[in-house]
Amino acid sequence: MVKLVNKLKNMSSLKKVLITIIFTVFIAVVSIAQDEPVINKDSLAFESGKEYILGDFSIIGLQKFSEQTVKVHSGLTKGTKIKLPGDKLTSAIKRLYETDQFSKVDVYLVKIDNETAYLEFDVSELPQLNNLIFLNIRKSKSRTLKEEVKIKSGDMVTDNLMVTTKNFFKEKYQNEGFLKTKVSINTKKGDKPNTVDMMVNIDKGERIKISKINIYGNEKIKAKKLQRKMKNTKQKLFGRFWKRSKYVDDDYREDLQKIIEAYSENGFRDAIIADKKLLWNEDNTLNLNITIEEGKKYFFRNIKFIGNVAYTDTQLRSFLKLENGDVYNSKVLKERVSGDGTPDSQDIQSLYLNSGYLFANVTPVETRVLNDSIDVEIRIYEDDPATIRKISVVGNTTTNDHVIYRELRTKPGNLFSKEDIIRSVREISQLGFFDAENIVPDVKPNHSDKTVDIEYSVAEKGSSQIELQGGYGNNSFIGTLGLSFNNFAVKNLLKKEAYRPLPRGDGQTLSLRLQKSKFYSTYSFSFMEPWLGGKKPKSLSVSLYNSRVRGYDYQTYDVDENRKLSIWGATLGLGQRLTWPDDFFQLSQSISFQRYEMDNYSVVQSLSFNDGVANNIAFNITLSRKSAGPNPIFPTQGSELSVAFKATPPFSLLNGKDYSILTDQEKYKWLEYYKTSFKANWYTPLWKKLVLRTNAEFGILGYYNSDLGYSPFERYVVGGDGMAQYRYDGSETIGLRGYENGSLADQGNPGTIYNKFSLETRYPITLKPSASIYVMGFLEAGNAYDKFDSFNPFDLKRSAGAGLRIFMPAFGLLGIDFAHGFDPVTDFGLKSGWQTHFIIGQQF
């Protein structure tokens, strides 16, 4: 900049003259607080270090930002006292650089009027990103890379952005095994003012694979066992497709630590990786050479408990499960003292937490090492038990507070309990109104008064479902409308303001369903109150339905008005959550009634009549235990067990009639039978999110009178997708994938006895509130038998396959299964082979 001091002396009139303080300050300089901007004192006379009043200052060079915005960011205001040079001016420049919006900030002194100084800031804005362009990469891959790097058009292109972007892509491909990845980034002027296009060129080279892993110095543990401990670093092995032999440095370091952990678990607490080398082979692969110093093997010599008052040494040892003389294992010691990270961990710390000792501290300490023996003290500071002071719930925008509070196992005034919190989370999840993956308990301890506040954070999800279907088949339109409101509030039916769009929030269930075609129509209504009276977990359920069927004329392909069937049904049920043996148990009882009115219509082919009435009144009782959870859609632990009994009155034993001479129409005017069933599901976590579901079930239909025999109604239809297929005889449909619907029938009739077994592995793709999706692979076996004499528990029809499930709150469960049946349905038939099953609202 030209010095203007001499010119000013000869000028008769002062205009805006650019005089003299040139503050050309780079980021590296202004980041040091004590450095000051350089002022050209030759241009205008001022007193260094003197305090001036800032008269005003202007900003030039702006393209995107307004002058006022920059002034605000500088922190300077008119009337501020500043020194030339001084800290306030230095700080203003620093603030502007720290916005990452400017590549240059120069400050000029333009005028001094007595005690007032006037400044001008000359700035250059950093360019914005116009486009991120990947060279020599296909468009679909480019879109994925843009999403991963998380930079977008409009971002300021700084040196830091260039460096971090380059490092991101380099590290990304190195983590995929491309160790020699090269990344270069250049910019060119964009088609918009003050913008640039960022050109990214990635040369990932060849994927570097591990040819061999050599382990030296291992005498106590075999190399193959150590290699198996290396979960993410594998050498090349023909036929292994599920785990690549790529080299990733972070994974390698982690797996080296797993080797040390393997030694520690076997008593070698001093084991170290003495040396590790990467050797390149001519075929561009790596050999990993690992040298281990094992050290000596250690044992527990003496384990003592210090500070325990609430529990005896014997009680604590039952959780520790380590004895003097056992091989030293630091991992097991830590897990038995502090837990293994699972909700149901059986450890000493959890023992105290489940008994109110929130502030207890349990620490294992090695007190002495003598030769190959180690003394350990379990030092316990119990403190006083913590009492729950306050319970709160946040995030329930629809569900009323009392619906959640009544499910909680944590109550104000109770002692703190970790297992009660875990159980409360499960119970909230089982309601089905909230995202099971986002129920978060926040424990807020108050050490001063030994109390604790617990806040449960929930996120509402859609719980109501709508079924709207339409189709055309057999010369008839078929329409279905189903509404299920799973968080209904009957008490608000008459409150206009509660309709958003319907009264909700009390946890009741209301279902309405209508299905109609030319040949049949079905109407159903059901209601369930889970807490009758609102004080105890006693449920009330009511359901009503009517189905009307008209016959099909196979000659005219139209309705046969001479053949009709009408079925009326009603059920009244009561349920009670039990407290013994534990409160996972529930006892349910109900009375059901069905009336079949047949007008030249055969409900069951084995009956000799098709005109008349059949009545079915039965008492049902079910004892169940359900601890599966915490997510009701995708349980990862626990079980579901139920034993059910259903029976009609023994009319034939009470009315004195000789049933051996009665017609079928007289025999079955009042149906009589009894049924017993057992169903069990166990959920076992296998690996990460992979879960094993084990299923076993059994059912048997019995009779009171041998002259009457087995009821032609209420039997078991086995095979297929498990969905009812136009059956009106009250039979229970049992799914067995790999076989056609209802195909497993002994002598062509539905069975009076069945059994079924399943093994199913499940893995979730997503468990978001909008849609839960998981895949599965399964093995199944089962069969149906005409009578008990023909029952053979080992005569099973076997199948295997894979499937997909999608649960959307608005539509329920949808799925598809591909299964292969290995056995023929009949003794002389072909094996069932591949079958495809579509699942709607049915859970296996």
Side-chain angles (χ1 to χ4, degrees):
M1 178 179 176
V2 179
K3 295 181 180 179
L4 300 177
V5 175
N6 293 331
K7 294 182 179 180
L8 284 170
K9 291 180 180 178
N10 297 322
M11 291 174 65
S12 59
S13 164
L14 284 177
K15 298 181 179 178
K16 179 183 176 184
V17 181
L18 188 58
I19 311 178
T20 55
I21 301 179
I22 304 177
F23 302 107
T24 308
V25 186
F26 295 95
I27 298 177
V29 176
V30 299
S31 64
I32 304 175
Q34 64 266 31
D35 287 356
E36 297 181 352
V38 178
I39 301 174
N40 189 342
K41 299 180 181 179
D42 295 331
S43 297
L44 188 64
F46 65 92
E47 295 184 28
S48 177
K50 178 181 176 180
E51 197 169 67
Y52 289 88
I53 297 174
L54 180 61
D56 200 0
F57 64 102
S58 59
I59 314 293
I60 63 173
L62 295 173
Q63 299 185 48
K64 172 186 175 183
F65 299 101
S66 67
E67 184 176 14
Q68 184 59 35
T69 299
V70 178
K71 285 185 175 182
V72 170
H73 278 94
S74 73
L76 296 176
T77 57
K78 184 178 180 180
T80 300
K81 293 181 178 181
I82 61 173
K83 292 181 179 181
L84 301 178
D87 292 341
K88 291 183 179 180
L89 200 53
T90 301
S91 296
I93 298 171
K94 184 178 179 181
R95 288 192 192 97
L96 293 180
Y97 274 118
E98 287 177 343
T99 63
D100 288 333
Q101 304 291 337
F102 305 102
S103 60
K104 183 191 75 171
V105 179
D106 291 341
V107 183
Y108 299 93
L109 177 63
V110 295
K111 180 182 178 182
I112 289 182
D113 185 5
N114 294 326
E115 304 297 322
T116 304
Y118 297 86
L119 304 178
E120 182 179 84
F121 283 67
D122 185 4
V123 300
S124 295
E125 295 181 7
L126 284 168
Q128 292 179 303
L129 179 64
N130 183 42
N131 286 314
L132 181 62
I133 301 172
F134 294 91
L135 304 177
N136 303 317
I137 294 179
R138 63 182 185 273
K139 290 184 178 180
S140 59
K141 182 64 176 178
S142 295
R143 285 194 296 269
T144 302
L145 292 176
K146 287 180 181 179
E147 292 173 359
E148 291 177 351
V149 75
K150 296 181 180 178
I151 60 176
K152 59 186 181 300
S153 297
D155 288 348
M156 307 306 291
V157 180
T158 64
D159 290 339
N160 181 59
L161 180 68
M162 301 272 283
V163 171
T164 55
T165 303
K166 180 178 179 178
N167 291 340
F168 173 84
F169 288 117
K170 189 173 182 180
E171 183 177 348
K172 168 185 167 57
Y173 281 100
Q174 286 179 343
N175 287 341
E176 295 178 4
F178 300 96
L179 297 187
K180 297 184 178 180
T181 297
K182 298 178 181 178
V183 180
S184 61
I185 299 180
N186 297 303
T187 59
K188 69 174 185 179
K189 189 175 181 180
D191 55 8
K192 297 177 182 178
N194 199 36
T195 64
V196 295
D197 294 332
M198 188 183 293
M199 321 292 290
V200 181
N201 185 24
I202 302 174
D203 179 10
K204 62 183 183 180
E206 295 183 5
R207 190 188 300 273
I208 307 302
K209 295 187 176 182
I210 302 168
S211 176
K212 197 167 184 180
I213 300 175
N214 300 309
I215 300 179
Y216 304 102
N218 58 307
E219 297 179 358
K220 304 300 182 181
I221 302 179
K222 292 181 179 180
K224 287 186 177 180
K225 184 175 181 180
L226 295 175
Q227 289 175 1
R228 286 195 295 269
K229 292 291 182 180
M230 303 174 72
K231 300 298 184 183
N232 298 308
T233 307
K234 301 291 185 182
Q235 65 184 18
K236 291 172 64 175
L237 179 64
F238 179 77
R240 185 180 60 219
F241 59 87
W242 60 91
K243 177 65 71 172
R244 292 181 177 180
S245 58
K246 63 183 180 181
Y247 176 84
V248 178
D249 190 64
D250 288 344
D251 290 344
Y252 180 46
R253 294 175 185 274
E254 184 178 327
D255 284 336
L256 289 177
Q257 185 58 38
K258 283 184 169 59
I259 291 177
I260 299 302
E261 290 175 1
Y263 271 99
S264 179
E265 291 170 14
N266 286 272
F268 298 93
R269 66 189 288 272
D270 297 334
I272 61 170
I273 303 295
D275 189 28
K276 59 181 186 295
K277 293 181 180 178
L278 278 65
L279 303 178
W280 288 94
N281 300 314
E282 292 182 357
D283 60 354
N284 207 31
T285 61
L286 280 176
N287 284 354
L288 304 182
N289 290 352
I290 304 169
T291 303
I292 299 170
E293 288 184 6
E294 295 180 325
K296 66 174 66 174
K297 188 172 186 176
Y298 289 87
F299 300 85
F300 289 108
R301 190 180 74 157
N302 192 13
I303 303 176
K304 293 182 179 180
F305 295 95
I306 305 296
N308 53 305
V309 176
Y311 295 99
T312 66
D313 288 5
T314 301
Q315 290 174 315
L316 296 179
R317 286 189 187 279
S318 68
F319 282 84
L320 188 63
K321 298 177 183 177
L322 291 173
E323 300 294 338
N324 298 340
D326 287 352
V327 173
Y328 182 83
N329 188 328
S330 59
K331 179 182 178 182
V332 170
L333 177 63
K334 181 179 179 181
E335 289 179 350
R336 303 278 172 81
V337 170
S338 303
D340 57 11
T342 61
D344 55 351
S345 176
Q346 298 293 313
D347 58 89
I348 296 175
Q349 187 75 57
S350 294
L351 173 66
Y352 276 95
L353 288 174
N354 291 334
S355 303
Y357 292 92
L358 174 61
F359 306 107
N361 185 25
V362 185
T363 307
V365 178
E366 294 180 6
T367 58
R368 186 180 183 187
V369 179
L370 182 63
N371 296 324
D372 63 351
S373 300
I374 300 176
D375 291 344
V376 174
E377 287 184 358
I378 311 297
R379 297 177 181 175
I380 302 171
Y381 174 70
E382 293 182 345
D383 208 334
D384 295 328
T387 303
I388 299 175
R389 183 178 67 176
K390 180 183 178 183
I391 299 291
S392 59
V393 178
V394 296
N396 52 316
T397 55
T398 299
T399 306
N400 293 323
D401 287 347
H402 73 272
V403 174
I404 304 174
Y405 284 125
R406 68 193 184 191
E407 300 293 341
L408 299 180
R409 297 299 188 270
T410 51
K411 306 288 185 182
N414 289 355
L415 289 178
F416 174 85
S417 172
K418 172 187 171 183
E419 62 185 0
D420 283 349
I421 293 178
I422 294 172
R423 180 66 187 279
S424 296
V425 170
R426 178 195 176 275
E427 295 305 319
I428 295 173
S429 174
Q430 293 297 310
L431 289 172
F433 310 147
F434 308 103
D435 177 12
E437 303 301 310
N438 285 300
I439 301 173
V440 181
D442 184 9
V443 178
K444 304 173 181 178
N446 309 301
H447 195 279
S448 59
D449 59 1
K450 299 299 185 289
T451 62
V452 59
D453 298 336
I454 304 174
E455 179 182 88
Y456 294 91
S457 175
V458 299
E460 297 266 7
K461 70 174 185 178
S463 55
S464 298
Q465 298 174 11
I466 182 170
E467 179 186 3
L468 184 61
Q469 299 179 3
Y472 188 84
N474 290 334
N475 297 319
S476 172
F477 175 80
I478 304 172
T480 302
L481 173 63
L483 300 173
S484 180
F485 307 106
N486 295 323
N487 196 2
F488 200 67
V490 170
K491 69 179 182 181
N492 294 329
L493 278 175
L494 302 179
K495 296 181 180 179
K496 183 178 179 181
E497 63 275 11
Y499 283 77
R500 299 190 305 268
L502 288 169
R504 295 183 296 163
D506 276 353
Q508 300 158 347
T509 299
L510 177 67
S511 297
L512 303 168
R513 194 171 190 272
L514 165 65
Q515 189 174 46
K516 189 172 181 61
S517 74
K518 184 188 297 186
F519 299 98
Y520 67 91
S521 61
T522 299
Y523 308 87
S524 65
F525 162 85
S526 66
F527 173 79
M528 197 269 287
E529 165 58 73
W531 282 66
L532 185 61
K535 294 183 179 180
K536 293 184 178 181
K538 295 181 178 180
S539 63
L540 170 69
S541 60
V542 179
S543 66
L544 304 168
Y545 74 90
N546 173 245
S547 296
R548 299 186 179 186
V549 185
R550 294 191 289 180
Y552 182 78
D553 192 324
Y554 289 93
Q555 294 181 346
T556 63
Y557 306 109
D558 206 346
V559 174
D560 184 351
E561 295 288 355
N562 296 319
R563 299 171 54 235
K564 298 178 182 179
L565 169 68
S566 179
I567 306 173
W568 298 86
T571 302
L572 176 65
L574 291 172
Q576 169 71 58
R577 184 187 297 165
L578 305 180
T579 58
W580 186 89
D582 60 42
D583 60 0
F584 286 115
F585 280 88
Q586 180 159 330
L587 182 66
S588 302
Q589 304 175 73
S590 66
I591 295 177
S592 60
F593 174 76
Q594 291 88 34
R595 179 178 176 85
Y596 299 87
E597 298 176 351
M598 294 164 279
D599 181 5
N600 193 29
Y601 194 100
S602 177
V603 178
V604 181
Q605 293 182 356
S606 61
L607 293 178
S608 62
F609 74 98
N610 53 20
D611 280 294
V613 174
N615 298 287
N616 181 9
I617 184 169
F619 171 74
N620 306 264
I621 183 169
T622 301
L623 178 65
S624 61
R625 185 182 189 275
K626 185 177 180 181
S627 61
N631 190 333
I633 305 301
F634 190 83
T636 56
Q637 60 184 10
S639 61
E640 299 165 340
L641 308 172
S642 69
V643 178
F645 180 76
K646 181 178 181 180
T648 65
F651 296 107
S652 64
L653 302 181
L654 301 175
N655 58 24
K657 295 181 180 180
D658 184 358
Y659 274 73
S660 63
I661 62 175
L662 295 181
T663 63
D664 283 356
Q665 190 171 11
E666 294 175 304
K667 287 181 179 179
Y668 300 115
K669 183 175 182 180
W670 289 95
L671 303 179
E672 63 174 63
Y673 58 87
Y674 62 86
K675 295 175 71 174
T676 302
S677 63
F678 168 79
K679 296 182 181 180
N681 289 291
W682 294 271
Y683 299 92
T684 307
L686 297 178
W687 175 76
K688 294 186 177 180
K689 296 182 180 180
L690 184 66
V691 175
L692 173 66
R693 170 183 171 264
T694 306
N695 164 260
E697 52 186 273
F698 170 84
I700 183 170
L701 175 70
Y703 57 83
Y704 304 113
N705 191 330
S706 59
D707 291 335
L708 187 59
Y710 292 106
S711 170
F713 295 78
E714 296 285 339
R715 296 194 172 202
Y716 301 105
V717 178
V718 180
D721 53 29
M723 301 177 64
Q725 300 289 328
Y726 304 109
R727 299 194 67 92
Y728 306 107
D729 56 5
S731 292
E732 186 176 346
T733 304
I734 309 298
L736 187 66
R737 293 163 284 189
Y739 298 88
E740 293 183 359
N741 289 340
S743 61
L744 302 183
D746 192 354
Q747 301 180 5
N749 296 318
T752 63
I753 185 171
Y754 87 97
N755 59 354
K756 175 186 170 184
F757 308 94
S758 301
L759 287 175
E760 184 176 278
T761 55
R762 300 175 170 185
Y763 191 85
I765 298 174
T766 177
L767 295 176
K768 294 182 178 180
S770 56
S772 296
I773 305 173
Y774 61 90
V775 294
M776 65 178 69
F778 55 83
L779 299 172
E780 288 192 332
N783 208 349
Y785 311 90
D786 184 56
K787 53 187 177 180
F788 188 78
D789 292 342
S790 62
F791 173 63
N792 181 355
F794 303 104
D795 178 19
L796 302 174
K797 307 300 181 182
R798 301 160 300 165
S799 65
L804 172 74
R805 293 290 182 274
I806 302 174
F807 179 84
M808 293 183 290
F811 300 101
L813 188 71
L814 307 173
I816 184 171
D817 291 321
F818 302 96
H820 183 82
F822 296 108
D823 300 302
V825 173
T826 62
D827 293 338
F828 305 102
L830 299 174
K831 68 177 184 179
S832 179
W834 285 103
Q835 303 286 336
T836 302
H837 306 288
F838 293 95
I839 313 299
I840 302 176
Q842 176 73 20
Q843 178 68 289
F844 280 92

